[in-house]
Amino acid sequence: MSRLARVHFKYEDHMGLNKAFCCILTGICLVMLAGARVGFPAANASSDPFQRERNRMVREQIQGRGVDDPATLNAMRRVPRHLYVPVSQRRFAYQDRPLPIGYGQTISQPFMVAYMTQIINPRPDHRVLEIGTGSGYQAAILAEIIDGVYTIEIVSELGQQARRKLEAQYDNVHVKIADGYHGWEEHAPFDAIVVTAASEYIPPPLIRQLREGGRMIIPVGSPYQMQQLMLVEKKEGGDITTRSLMPVRFVPFERAE
Amino acid sequence: MEMPSGNASTRLIFSLGLHSAAIIAFQLALMQLLSIVQWHHFAYMIISVAMLGFGASGTLLALARERLLRHSEWLIPLLMTLSGLFIMVAFHITRMEIFRFDVYLLFVEQTQFPVLAANYLIYFIPFFTGALAIGLLFIKYARQIGTHYFSNLLGSGVGGVVVLLALGLLHPSHLPPLIGLLPVAAGLLSMPPQRRSLHLFAAGTALAVMVLLIGRPGHIPMSEYKDLARAMNLPDASVVHSKPAVHGFTQVVASPALRFAPALSLSFTGEVPVKKQVYVNGDFFGVIPTYQPGQTSHILDYTSQALPWAIGTPQRLLLLNAAEGAPVSHALTHNPAVLDAVIEHPGVIGLLQEEFAAVSGNLFLHEKVNLHAVQPRNFLAARATADYDLISMPQQEAFGGSVGINALEENYGMTLEAFQLMWSRLASDGMIAVSSWMDYPSRSSLKLLSTLVMTLESQGITSPEKHIAAVRSWGTITFVLKKSVITPQETAAIRQFCHEMFFDPVLLPDIRPEERQQYNSLEDTALFTYIDRIMASDKDFLDEYGFMIHPATDSKPYFGQFLKLSNFRQLSQVFGQEQIPFLELGYLIVVVTLVQSSILALLFIVLPLLKLRRGHRGKGGTLLYFAALGIGYMFVEIILIQRFVLYFGQPVFAISAVISTMLIASGCGSLWSEKLPARPRFPAGIALLVTLGLLAYTFFLTPFLKFSIASPVALKIFLGLLLIGIPSFFKGMLFPLGIRYLSDYDPGQIPWAWGINGSLSVISTSLAMLIAVEHGFQAVMGLGVLCYALAAASFASHRTFFRRAG
């Protein structure tokens, strides 16, 4: 699916504008986007009623907390988060919090998605594996930056919904409905692995499928309390190290001395 | 005041017993059901509000006493029947889509609040109608209150025991329809013969509803955030076994995607084994272990829990609270000489000895495994030998934090006194090992360490760094407390273990700061500062820290309670108010429960006052006496449960024994009280006697129970019956004596007294918990004694409190 299709989807499916208008807008967007991977035309922003909310989300929730990777910020501005939440939650889509998406799963807080994206240093030529597609939002953000996004969802219903949305918009996202434990051997090694659901253990196959020098990011905590992330790095030579990150840093109880 | 005829009287008394049995049985069954649907704290929150139906019934009786009494002949049976019908259907109504709420979403979706309110209302109705029937009966036959109160208490006692037995036999969702039949039958019995035809129709309807509900397969739709619900979303997941049990509804789930390897070392390259998982009330309990004879390695060897085996080769092992058996299979692979495993949940032992014996490689039938189905603390005090090389405890906290859901769980196995007992059971080179998931902000790990350091201090050891080792994986920390000094060889072995597993040493006799973060670094390194301050026995630090990390004690046995209410404002500022529930939810729920129950209770006490304000004197005496009885009775009950759980080591048995003994003995007291004239000196004297007896308990009960804990079970049961029964007998006389006094003095105040007593009985449960967490059980006992002293005072100076009615 071309980028044209992605933009078209955004308008036709969810903005309720008539098709002709969408086609004109899409054409303008296509021209303006030609040759550039990042950056989004101002004309588009003004015609998307959610664009203002998205810009505010990026400015206040994401940049305001220190995420400064341009590719990540642009992706966060472009992807219509409201399309990745249940209709009943759409009005909360750009609020600074995770939202329920059913099956005991959540779509992460926007800042966490941005932070996890930035921390793996995504580059266009990277190949990234995502474990836990959920609503597909994180995969969409990655797909805006990276050529090859491979995403696995274990809950069949969620996986099918996400596949429909992602494959309608992106040709660089591959969705598999399976147990993420086994990773995706055929496309390994990966430059980065993003695990979106907290897990009590890190599956050894994922460590094997991580390229030496590669990074894996995993949240630690309950769905509504993702204050901690863990960065796993596979060193040259095979040693594995971890780093507990505090994206939202608290220094609560230091004594003033 | 009326007197029923002989036959009618017997029928009424029997009906009241049946009805009372149903009310308490429904309360207990509902607690189990709501614990499965949500979590037990929320079950408690909902039920406490519903139980205020007792207070509300008192209010209604006070406001419309005459009218209700006029129609009481048919109204009492009708209320009983309605209560029975609502008991049958209330739970099923709340499972309808429109009334389903999810606690997890309560903090993120405001639409959940009206649904929660609707749930309150639905559960309130059966308690309200049920209590109204009882209250009306008490008022109508106030002069025979002793007999009626006896029937009420006896029915409650029997109902409690019977439902506990039923919880072990029936699917929990089938219980309310069965329980609901009792009040319907009570209604039928107490209805005058000329009106029975209508009632027979109601009874027939109830029977049909019961058959309809029981005929449906047992299914309880639960929150999608419950562990079991999430497991069932996995591919090919199925419940392969389910069994009702008193400890909780036990289910075993199989799926090819269910694996078990908590905080597995990143150096592990093998296959993580697929395991069947055990859930109790929908919460993860553990896995079905798969032991193979001759097995010499285990997945837990690749976790920080293997630290004791890196230090040495312990031969005599004691595994406390060994959950579902994974620690047992792990220990067995190290070929110990003796392996004592203490498992509190008898249902799980049954699972591994029967249904899953073959799957688990007959682990629990292994000749070396000595199973003990008792509380760990009780085992340590009464049965343990004193030569263990290793005493090991299960992993504390939960992955990603338990959001304080276990905050109010009394855990006598993790108190300072328990660790001192463990120390006394160690061989000269023995070790105590305990692990915890890492949490942030750090709480569990720091509390564990402060407990270990204080254990050493209590043994006169002032150099904890020579006795405590700790290693940290990416997700867990394991502490080992060694009775003798940790040797350089052992230190080297720990470092080697860490290197192989990509773990980091945190505490060693010669720890170097740089080696604490070799493999697993922390962006916020304050944890190490905190650890060092605790090791330096810095008491100021424990006081200053934002969370409660002082060791748990027998008086405050809440290891999982970290929230300092005094620090709540600061926590809100640091973490944001919306995050607080996800840090420490369990304790907050009790506070919320107390606040909402208190507001409602106050309303139920104040409203009747509007009616009573003219023409009724002595309201102060009524309020003081019945409020003191309501609070005092519950406070003492909670203390006795707490003491006897520790004494018997079987919580379910102890709780049901204490409650039933108390209720039945109080019932007998109530019956006997009819022999006494309703003069002020009798309630005053008996309340004084109770005060003095309880005062003696404050000082002597704990030492006495400690002294006799290792006695034969039969003797312990006998002592328990005496110690619980005697004060309860006298306590049971006080309520009916008070009511009888009022029936002479001012009958219009009786409904108010009933409402006050009911309202305060409910709120005093959460109030007692709050006081216990903040000030310890001794404070609860002290206040219980004070309540009875006030009750005595209100009648001792009855001329002050009960002035002549106008």
Side-chain angles (χ1 to χ4, degrees):
Chain A
M1 183 79 47
S2 65
R3 190 170 292 275
L4 167 65
R6 289 179 220 168
V7 178
H8 186 77
F9 169 82
K10 288 174 192 170
Y11 291 121
E12 186 186 62
D13 242 14
H14 298 278
M15 303 312 302
L17 301 176
N18 67 54
K19 280 190 178 176
F21 183 59
C22 283
C23 285
I24 293 166
L25 272 180
T26 306
I28 295 168
C29 291
L30 182 69
V31 171
M32 297 189 77
L33 279 168
R37 280 204 81 89
V38 292
F40 207 67
N44 183 47
S46 62
S47 60
D48 177 354
F50 285 99
Q51 188 63 57
R52 188 188 293 262
E53 281 195 66
R54 254 195 323 276
N55 288 342
R56 191 191 305 135
M57 170 190 87
V58 170
R59 194 173 57 249
E60 292 174 5
Q61 300 172 28
I62 299 171
Q63 281 180 296
R65 289 188 180 124
V67 172
D68 55 7
D69 174 45
T72 303
L73 294 174
N74 279 323
M76 295 296 293
R77 279 191 202 104
R78 272 201 302 273
V79 176
R81 181 174 162 92
H82 59 278
L83 302 186
Y84 291 90
V85 301
V87 176
S88 61
Q89 298 289 332
R90 202 159 275 180
R91 62 204 162 111
F92 309 123
Y94 296 97
Q95 291 188 358
D96 185 20
R97 59 184 171 112
L99 294 170
I101 58 168
Y103 304 94
Q105 308 290 321
T106 54
I107 177 172
S108 298
Q109 179 190 10
F111 166 70
M112 293 303 287
V113 174
Y115 187 88
M116 289 173 82
T117 307
Q118 172 174 273
I119 210 79
I120 59 167
N121 292 333
R123 298 287 171 263
D125 60 336
H126 273 177
R127 186 179 292 187
V128 173
L129 174 66
E130 185 198 22
I131 304 295
T133 316
S135 69
Y137 181 62
Q138 173 77 70
I141 296 289
L142 292 169
E144 292 283 341
I145 306 168
I146 293 162
D147 282 340
V149 178
Y150 297 85
T151 179
I152 303 175
E153 174 57 51
I154 197 164
V155 179
S156 173
E157 292 82 351
L158 281 178
Q160 282 165 10
Q161 285 171 21
R163 175 184 275 159
R164 275 197 297 277
K165 282 181 189 169
L166 290 167
E167 291 185 352
Q169 293 183 85
Y170 300 102
D171 55 4
N172 55 342
V173 180
H174 310 275
V175 183
K176 183 161 94 166
I177 296 167
D179 182 1
Y181 171 87
H182 303 287
W184 204 327
E185 191 72 56
E186 306 89 287
H187 300 287
F190 296 97
D191 299 286
I193 298 179
V194 177
V195 182
T196 57
S199 172
E200 281 197 358
Y201 64 94
I202 299 167
L206 297 188
I207 299 283
R208 277 200 299 275
Q209 292 170 27
L210 188 63
R211 191 191 296 282
E212 281 197 0
R215 297 179 137 202
M216 183 191 297
I217 185 84
I218 301 176
V220 178
S222 66
Y224 290 101
Q225 189 212 345
M226 283 189 191
Q227 297 172 338
Q228 258 191 303
L229 291 171
M230 191 171 68
L231 179 67
V232 180
E233 291 181 281
K234 191 169 179 178
K235 307 283 185 194
E236 308 286 339
D239 271 8
I240 320 277
T241 62
T242 72
R243 183 162 178 77
S244 290
L245 305 172
M246 250 82 38
V248 183
R249 200 189 292 236
F250 310 115
V251 189
F253 308 119
E254 300 280 12
R255 274 203 301 188
E257 284 179 316
Chain B
M1 302 295 146
E2 294 181 32
M3 298 267 285
S5 64
N7 255 350
S9 168
T10 314
R11 277 206 319 272
L12 260 184
I13 290 167
F14 186 69
S15 301
L16 178 61
L18 268 185
H19 181 66
S20 307
I23 299 284
I24 199 147
F26 180 55
Q27 187 195 343
L28 292 173
L30 196 57
M31 183 66 106
Q32 178 90 302
L33 281 164
L34 294 179
S35 300
I36 296 172
V37 176
Q38 304 281 329
W39 285 270
H40 64 277
H41 289 92
F42 295 96
Y44 172 69
M45 187 171 99
I46 289 171
I47 291 170
S48 69
V49 168
M51 288 286 286
L52 283 169
F54 279 80
S57 74
T59 305
L60 184 66
L61 282 166
L63 296 177
R65 181 170 170 268
E66 292 308 321
R67 197 177 304 169
L68 293 171
L69 276 175
R70 212 177 304 138
H71 303 291
S72 60
E73 196 182 33
W74 58 269
L75 200 52
I76 291 170
L78 179 71
L79 287 167
M80 286 178 171
T81 308
L82 282 177
S83 161
L85 285 169
F86 282 120
I87 285 175
M88 284 181 169
V89 297
F91 178 73
H92 294 273
I93 291 174
T94 57
R95 292 296 84 210
M96 288 161 68
E97 197 59 42
I98 189 172
F99 295 121
R100 282 176 71 173
F101 88 102
D102 199 310
V103 157
Y104 232 103
L105 299 180
L106 210 53
F107 302 98
V108 289
E109 277 187 20
Q110 289 181 344
T111 53
Q112 293 287 311
F113 282 98
V115 186
L116 176 63
N119 272 257
Y120 279 153
L121 187 64
I122 292 165
Y123 289 123
F124 175 83
I125 294 169
F127 288 109
F128 172 70
T129 46
L132 196 55
I134 299 172
L136 202 48
L137 232 153
F138 281 178
I139 293 160
K140 191 174 179 188
Y141 305 114
R143 290 191 198 285
Q144 295 84 45
I145 181 73
T147 314
H148 288 98
Y149 195 49
F150 163 74
S151 173
N152 171 241
L153 292 176
L154 185 69
S156 302
V158 173
V161 174
V162 170
V163 81
L164 282 177
L165 293 174
L167 280 170
L169 298 170
L170 300 171
H171 191 283
S173 69
H174 288 157
L175 286 173
L178 284 173
I179 294 168
L181 277 185
L182 297 181
V184 174
L188 195 62
L189 263 177
S190 52
M191 184 61 97
Q194 62 273 23
R195 291 184 187 261
R196 276 215 185 125
S197 54
L198 184 69
H199 218 82
L200 277 170
F201 174 73
T205 311
L207 208 60
V209 172
M210 190 273 287
V211 170
L212 192 74
L213 293 175
I214 296 245
R216 295 166 62 186
H219 173 63
I220 306 169
M222 60 179 67
S223 160
E224 63 185 66
Y225 297 95
K226 291 279 280 194
D227 298 333
L228 177 62
R230 292 164 76 132
M232 292 305 289
N233 283 331
L234 297 176
D236 300 322
S238 62
V239 176
V240 294
H241 176 83
S242 57
K243 192 173 188 176
V246 181
H247 291 80
F249 191 54
T250 307
Q251 288 163 291
V252 180
V253 175
S255 162
L258 281 175
R259 293 182 177 80
F260 178 71
L264 183 67
S265 160
L266 298 179
S267 70
F268 180 79
T269 54
E271 186 72 13
V272 178
V274 172
K275 302 272 187 197
K276 291 182 177 62
Q277 299 198 337
V278 183
Y279 296 83
V280 176
N281 281 351
D283 298 323
F284 175 74
F285 184 81
V287 296
I288 300 282
T290 47
Y291 175 74
Q292 288 164 348
Q295 186 181 333
T296 55
S297 71
H298 196 280
I299 194 86
L300 293 181
D301 283 331
Y302 293 86
T303 66
S304 66
Q305 293 180 58
L307 178 61
W309 285 277
I311 296 174
T313 49
Q315 286 301 302
R316 299 181 63 84
L317 310 183
L318 171 58
L319 307 182
L320 296 175
N321 248 340
E324 74 303 339
V328 180
S329 64
H330 175 220
L332 212 51
T333 58
H334 290 277
N335 197 25
V338 172
L339 202 168
D340 284 324
V342 178
I343 297 178
E344 205 179 316
H345 197 315
V348 171
I349 296 181
L351 270 184
L352 289 189
Q353 284 185 332
E354 292 158 23
E355 293 90 345
F356 293 93
V359 176
S360 65
N362 292 318
L363 177 70
F364 278 13
L365 301 168
H366 194 285
E367 58 186 7
K368 276 189 185 167
V369 178
N370 310 310
L371 291 172
H372 307 275
V374 68
Q375 269 205 332
R377 179 61 186 278
N378 189 273
F379 180 83
L380 282 168
R383 295 199 233 164
T385 56
D387 55 358
Y388 289 107
D389 298 321
L390 172 64
I391 299 178
S392 173
M393 273 161 291
Q395 196 140 292
Q396 303 299 309
E397 259 294 331
F399 172 66
S402 64
V403 296
I405 213 78
N406 299 320
L408 275 300
E409 187 184 309
E410 286 145 24
N411 187 347
Y412 294 99
M414 293 300 293
T415 62
L416 185 59
E417 291 88 341
F419 277 83
Q420 289 164 347
L421 254 178
M422 286 180 225
W423 179 272
S424 72
R425 302 303 189 209
L426 287 178
S428 57
D429 279 335
M431 298 176 274
I432 297 169
V434 60
S435 304
S436 171
W437 282 100
M438 299 293 293
D439 48 4
Y440 184 80
S442 300
R443 285 156 283 173
S444 184
S445 49
L446 297 182
K447 199 173 211 174
L448 271 181
L449 184 61
S450 74
T451 310
L452 296 180
V453 170
M454 287 209 189
T455 304
L456 285 172
E457 276 179 17
S458 69
Q459 304 302 318
I461 295 170
T462 52
S463 49
E465 70 282 357
K466 292 180 181 167
H467 294 267
I468 300 176
V471 304
R472 188 172 58 86
S473 72
W474 61 265
T476 54
I477 186 163
T478 296
F479 295 95
V480 163
L481 176 67
K482 192 159 175 283
K483 199 161 189 178
S484 58
V485 169
I486 297 169
T487 65
Q489 291 78 13
E490 289 165 341
T491 307
I494 294 170
R495 286 199 167 99
Q496 181 61 26
F497 171 67
C498 287
H499 178 64
E500 287 168 6
M501 297 290 156
F502 301 158
F503 296 160
D504 297 306
V506 179
L507 287 173
L508 291 174
D510 58 348
I511 190 75
R512 300 185 299 274
E514 66 275 13
E515 62 183 336
R516 283 174 158 176
Q517 299 195 76
Q518 202 176 344
Y519 291 102
N520 304 285
S521 59
L522 301 176
E523 197 170 41
D524 182 355
T525 55
L527 173 70
F528 302 120
T529 313
Y530 301 155
I531 284 177
D532 290 340
R533 291 183 69 179
I534 294 172
M535 288 296 282
S537 298
D538 183 347
K539 300 286 188 297
D540 291 344
F541 171 69
L542 300 187
D543 294 334
E544 285 164 16
Y545 195 63
F547 292 94
M548 177 66 194
I549 53 167
H550 279 283
T553 61
D554 280 359
S555 185
K556 294 184 187 177
Y558 304 105
F559 185 84
Q561 172 9 52
F562 299 101
L563 186 68
K564 285 180 177 171
L565 283 185
S566 56
N567 217 25
F568 187 77
R569 187 185 290 261
Q570 191 198 349
L571 286 177
S572 301
Q573 285 165 355
V574 173
F575 295 100
Q577 202 151 351
E578 71 280 5
Q579 277 293 326
I580 298 297
F582 299 105
L583 278 174
E584 289 298 329
L585 189 58
Y587 191 27
L588 276 184
I589 291 290
V590 176
V591 178
V592 170
T593 304
L594 179 65
V595 170
Q596 64 184 17
S597 320
S598 302
I599 292 169
L600 288 173
L602 200 65
L603 197 70
F604 296 143
I605 292 168
V606 170
L607 266 182
L609 275 178
L610 300 175
K611 174 87 185 278
L612 293 175
R613 78 185 158 200
R614 280 191 302 273
H616 294 271
R617 288 189 178 177
K619 295 188 286 285
T622 307
L623 177 65
L624 183 64
Y625 183 74
F626 287 96
L629 290 192
I631 297 174
Y633 196 90
M634 290 307 292
F635 274 24
V636 173
E637 179 179 298
I638 285 165
I639 290 295
L640 290 177
I641 288 174
Q642 184 253 351
R643 296 284 187 260
F644 281 94
V645 161
L646 200 55
Y647 190 58
F648 288 114
Q650 309 274 2
V652 176
F653 170 74
I655 291 168
S656 49
V658 170
I659 294 176
S660 299
T661 310
M662 272 188 85
L663 290 173
I664 293 168
S666 295
C668 293
S670 167
L671 194 62
W672 199 77
S673 73
E674 289 209 334
K675 295 180 192 225
L676 298 175
R679 287 188 208 127
R681 71 165 181 264
F682 288 101
I686 293 164
L688 184 66
L689 196 66
V690 171
T691 307
L692 293 174
L694 293 177
L695 199 62
Y697 273 31
T698 312
F699 298 105
F700 303 117
L701 184 63
T702 306
F704 179 75
L705 294 180
K706 205 170 173 180
F707 165 75
S708 61
I709 194 167
S711 309
V713 177
L715 178 62
K716 282 169 72 174
I717 291 175
F718 175 72
L719 290 172
L721 287 175
L722 280 185
L723 291 167
I724 301 163
I726 294 172
S728 303
F729 178 81
F730 290 104
K731 284 192 295 173
M733 296 163 76
L734 294 173
F735 180 80
L737 280 174
I739 294 286
R740 274 174 51 214
Y741 177 78
L742 278 186
S743 74
D744 287 340
Y745 172 77
D746 182 5
Q749 289 193 37
I750 296 177
W752 193 47
W754 163 246
I756 292 168
N757 190 266
S759 297
L760 292 177
S761 298
V762 177
I763 70 163
S764 51
T765 316
S766 35
L767 185 64
M769 274 191 178
L770 202 75
I771 295 168
V773 169
E774 294 295 323
H775 304 289
F777 275 116
Q778 283 299 96
V780 180
M781 187 66 177
L783 287 172
V785 174
L786 181 67
C787 281
Y788 281 100
L790 286 173
S794 68
F795 267 104
S797 6
H798 71 284
R799 286 195 179 82
T800 309
F801 291 109
F802 293 97
R803 282 172 295 161
R804 294 291 310 159

